[in-house]
Short mmCIF file of all heavy atoms in Angstrom, two decimals:
data_model
loop_
_atom_site.label_atom_id
_atom_site.label_comp_id
_atom_site.label_asym_id
_atom_site.label_seq_id
_atom_site.Cartn_x
_atom_site.Cartn_y
_atom_site.Cartn_z
N ASP A 727 -41.37 18.68 -9.83
CA ASP A 727 -42.65 19.32 -9.52
C ASP A 727 -42.88 20.59 -10.32
O ASP A 727 -43.91 20.75 -10.97
CB ASP A 727 -42.74 19.64 -8.03
CG ASP A 727 -44.08 20.29 -7.69
OD1 ASP A 727 -45.08 19.56 -7.59
OD2 ASP A 727 -44.13 21.53 -7.57
N GLU A 728 -41.91 21.52 -10.28
CA GLU A 728 -42.16 22.82 -10.89
C GLU A 728 -42.40 22.70 -12.39
O GLU A 728 -43.31 23.34 -12.94
CB GLU A 728 -40.99 23.77 -10.62
CG GLU A 728 -41.28 25.21 -11.02
CD GLU A 728 -40.22 26.19 -10.52
OE1 GLU A 728 -39.27 25.75 -9.84
OE2 GLU A 728 -40.36 27.38 -10.81
N ILE A 729 -41.59 21.88 -13.07
CA ILE A 729 -41.79 21.70 -14.50
C ILE A 729 -42.77 20.57 -14.78
O ILE A 729 -43.74 20.72 -15.50
CB ILE A 729 -40.45 21.42 -15.21
CG1 ILE A 729 -39.54 22.64 -15.12
CG2 ILE A 729 -40.68 21.04 -16.67
CD1 ILE A 729 -38.16 22.43 -15.71
N GLY A 730 -42.50 19.41 -14.17
CA GLY A 730 -43.28 18.21 -14.49
C GLY A 730 -44.72 18.26 -14.03
O GLY A 730 -45.58 17.57 -14.59
N VAL A 731 -45.03 19.06 -13.01
CA VAL A 731 -46.40 19.15 -12.50
C VAL A 731 -46.99 20.54 -12.71
O VAL A 731 -48.01 20.72 -13.39
CB VAL A 731 -46.45 18.77 -11.00
CG1 VAL A 731 -47.87 18.92 -10.48
CG2 VAL A 731 -45.96 17.34 -10.80
N GLU A 732 -46.35 21.55 -12.11
CA GLU A 732 -46.91 22.90 -12.13
C GLU A 732 -47.01 23.47 -13.53
O GLU A 732 -48.09 23.93 -13.97
CB GLU A 732 -46.04 23.82 -11.25
CG GLU A 732 -46.53 25.26 -11.18
CD GLU A 732 -45.61 26.15 -10.37
OE1 GLU A 732 -44.84 25.61 -9.53
OE2 GLU A 732 -45.64 27.37 -10.58
N TYR A 733 -45.88 23.47 -14.27
CA TYR A 733 -45.92 24.05 -15.62
C TYR A 733 -46.70 23.18 -16.59
O TYR A 733 -47.33 23.68 -17.53
CB TYR A 733 -44.49 24.28 -16.13
CG TYR A 733 -43.79 25.43 -15.44
CD1 TYR A 733 -42.49 25.30 -14.97
CD2 TYR A 733 -44.43 26.65 -15.26
CE1 TYR A 733 -41.84 26.36 -14.35
CE2 TYR A 733 -43.79 27.71 -14.63
CZ TYR A 733 -42.49 27.55 -14.17
OH TYR A 733 -41.86 28.60 -13.55
N ALA A 734 -46.68 21.87 -16.37
CA ALA A 734 -47.46 20.97 -17.23
C ALA A 734 -48.95 21.28 -17.10
O ALA A 734 -49.68 21.34 -18.10
CB ALA A 734 -47.18 19.52 -16.86
N LYS A 735 -49.42 21.47 -15.87
CA LYS A 735 -50.83 21.81 -15.65
C LYS A 735 -51.16 23.17 -16.25
O LYS A 735 -52.21 23.35 -16.89
CB LYS A 735 -51.15 21.81 -14.16
CG LYS A 735 -52.61 22.12 -13.83
CD LYS A 735 -52.85 22.13 -12.35
CE LYS A 735 -54.33 22.36 -12.04
NZ LYS A 735 -54.85 23.61 -12.62
N GLU A 736 -50.25 24.14 -16.05
CA GLU A 736 -50.49 25.48 -16.58
C GLU A 736 -50.63 25.46 -18.10
O GLU A 736 -51.52 26.10 -18.67
CB GLU A 736 -49.34 26.41 -16.16
CG GLU A 736 -49.53 27.86 -16.56
CD GLU A 736 -48.43 28.76 -16.01
OE1 GLU A 736 -47.63 28.29 -15.16
OE2 GLU A 736 -48.38 29.93 -16.42
N PHE A 737 -49.76 24.70 -18.76
CA PHE A 737 -49.80 24.63 -20.22
C PHE A 737 -51.09 23.96 -20.70
O PHE A 737 -51.72 24.41 -21.67
CB PHE A 737 -48.58 23.86 -20.73
CG PHE A 737 -48.44 23.86 -22.23
CD1 PHE A 737 -48.26 25.04 -22.93
CD2 PHE A 737 -48.48 22.66 -22.93
CE1 PHE A 737 -48.12 25.03 -24.32
CE2 PHE A 737 -48.35 22.64 -24.31
CZ PHE A 737 -48.17 23.83 -25.01
N LYS A 738 -51.51 22.91 -20.01
CA LYS A 738 -52.75 22.23 -20.39
C LYS A 738 -53.96 23.13 -20.17
O LYS A 738 -54.90 23.13 -20.97
CB LYS A 738 -52.90 20.93 -19.60
CG LYS A 738 -51.92 19.85 -20.02
CD LYS A 738 -52.09 18.59 -19.19
CE LYS A 738 -51.08 17.53 -19.61
NZ LYS A 738 -51.19 16.29 -18.78
N ASP A 739 -53.93 23.91 -19.09
CA ASP A 739 -55.03 24.85 -18.83
C ASP A 739 -55.12 25.91 -19.91
O ASP A 739 -56.19 26.50 -20.13
CB ASP A 739 -54.84 25.52 -17.48
CG ASP A 739 -55.08 24.58 -16.30
OD1 ASP A 739 -55.66 23.50 -16.53
OD2 ASP A 739 -54.66 24.90 -15.18
N LEU A 740 -54.01 26.17 -20.60
CA LEU A 740 -53.97 27.17 -21.67
C LEU A 740 -54.34 26.58 -23.03
O LEU A 740 -54.35 27.29 -24.03
CB LEU A 740 -52.56 27.77 -21.76
CG LEU A 740 -52.13 28.63 -20.56
CD1 LEU A 740 -50.63 28.90 -20.61
CD2 LEU A 740 -52.90 29.95 -20.55
N GLY A 741 -54.62 25.26 -23.06
CA GLY A 741 -55.01 24.63 -24.31
C GLY A 741 -53.98 23.67 -24.86
O GLY A 741 -54.21 23.02 -25.89
N GLY A 742 -52.81 23.58 -24.22
CA GLY A 742 -51.80 22.63 -24.65
C GLY A 742 -52.18 21.22 -24.26
O GLY A 742 -53.12 20.99 -23.49
N GLU A 743 -51.44 20.26 -24.77
CA GLU A 743 -51.76 18.85 -24.50
C GLU A 743 -50.74 18.16 -23.62
O GLU A 743 -51.10 17.33 -22.80
CB GLU A 743 -51.89 18.08 -25.83
CG GLU A 743 -53.04 18.55 -26.71
CD GLU A 743 -53.09 17.81 -28.03
OE1 GLU A 743 -52.26 16.87 -28.22
OE2 GLU A 743 -53.93 18.15 -28.87
N GLU A 744 -49.46 18.52 -23.75
CA GLU A 744 -48.46 17.74 -23.03
C GLU A 744 -47.18 18.55 -22.80
O GLU A 744 -46.71 19.25 -23.69
CB GLU A 744 -48.11 16.48 -23.82
CG GLU A 744 -47.12 15.57 -23.15
CD GLU A 744 -46.79 14.34 -23.98
OE1 GLU A 744 -47.26 14.26 -25.14
OE2 GLU A 744 -46.03 13.48 -23.48
N VAL A 745 -46.66 18.45 -21.59
CA VAL A 745 -45.32 18.93 -21.26
C VAL A 745 -44.55 17.73 -20.76
O VAL A 745 -44.88 17.16 -19.72
CB VAL A 745 -45.35 20.04 -20.19
CG1 VAL A 745 -43.94 20.34 -19.68
CG2 VAL A 745 -45.97 21.31 -20.74
N CYS A 746 -43.54 17.32 -21.49
CA CYS A 746 -42.75 16.15 -21.13
C CYS A 746 -41.36 16.61 -20.70
O CYS A 746 -40.72 17.41 -21.38
CB CYS A 746 -42.65 15.20 -22.32
SG CYS A 746 -41.99 13.58 -21.92
N LEU A 747 -40.90 16.13 -19.54
CA LEU A 747 -39.62 16.55 -18.97
C LEU A 747 -38.50 15.59 -19.34
O LEU A 747 -38.64 14.37 -19.20
CB LEU A 747 -39.74 16.63 -17.45
CG LEU A 747 -38.47 16.99 -16.67
CD1 LEU A 747 -38.04 18.42 -16.98
CD2 LEU A 747 -38.72 16.82 -15.17
N VAL A 748 -37.39 16.12 -19.83
CA VAL A 748 -36.19 15.31 -20.10
C VAL A 748 -35.52 14.99 -18.77
O VAL A 748 -35.26 15.89 -17.96
CB VAL A 748 -35.21 16.06 -21.03
CG1 VAL A 748 -33.92 15.26 -21.20
CG2 VAL A 748 -35.86 16.32 -22.38
N GLU A 749 -35.25 13.73 -18.52
CA GLU A 749 -34.58 13.30 -17.29
C GLU A 749 -33.25 14.02 -17.12
O GLU A 749 -32.52 14.27 -18.09
CB GLU A 749 -34.35 11.79 -17.36
CG GLU A 749 -33.60 11.21 -16.18
CD GLU A 749 -33.19 9.76 -16.40
OE1 GLU A 749 -33.49 9.21 -17.49
OE2 GLU A 749 -32.55 9.18 -15.50
N SER A 750 -32.92 14.37 -15.89
CA SER A 750 -31.65 15.04 -15.63
C SER A 750 -30.48 14.05 -15.77
O SER A 750 -30.67 12.88 -16.12
CB SER A 750 -31.66 15.68 -14.25
OG SER A 750 -30.57 16.57 -14.10
N LEU A 751 -29.27 14.49 -15.45
CA LEU A 751 -28.07 13.66 -15.63
C LEU A 751 -28.06 12.48 -14.66
O LEU A 751 -27.62 11.39 -15.01
CB LEU A 751 -26.82 14.52 -15.42
CG LEU A 751 -26.70 15.75 -16.32
CD1 LEU A 751 -25.47 16.57 -15.92
CD2 LEU A 751 -26.61 15.35 -17.79
N ASN A 752 -28.48 12.72 -13.43
CA ASN A 752 -28.64 11.69 -12.40
C ASN A 752 -27.42 10.75 -12.31
O ASN A 752 -26.31 11.22 -12.07
CB ASN A 752 -29.95 10.94 -12.64
CG ASN A 752 -31.16 11.87 -12.47
OD1 ASN A 752 -31.10 12.84 -11.71
ND2 ASN A 752 -32.25 11.59 -13.17
N ASP A 753 -27.61 9.45 -12.51
CA ASP A 753 -26.49 8.51 -12.36
C ASP A 753 -26.05 7.93 -13.70
O ASP A 753 -25.46 6.85 -13.75
CB ASP A 753 -26.86 7.38 -11.40
CG ASP A 753 -28.10 6.61 -11.83
OD1 ASP A 753 -28.84 7.10 -12.71
OD2 ASP A 753 -28.33 5.51 -11.30
N ASP A 754 -26.31 8.64 -14.78
CA ASP A 754 -25.91 8.18 -16.11
C ASP A 754 -24.39 7.97 -16.18
O ASP A 754 -23.63 8.85 -15.77
CB ASP A 754 -26.35 9.20 -17.16
CG ASP A 754 -26.19 8.68 -18.58
OD1 ASP A 754 -25.03 8.52 -19.03
OD2 ASP A 754 -27.21 8.46 -19.25
#
Side-chain angles (χ1 to χ4, degrees):
D727 181 79
E728 190 169 359
I729 294 176
V731 177
E732 180 183 338
Y733 287 134
K735 181 181 183 303
E736 185 175 350
F737 186 62
K738 289 179 181 178
D739 289 344
L740 292 167
E743 295 177 4
E744 182 181 6
V745 170
C746 192
L747 177 66
V748 175
E749 177 190 0
S750 193
L751 304 175
N752 295 332
D753 58 345
D754 190 291

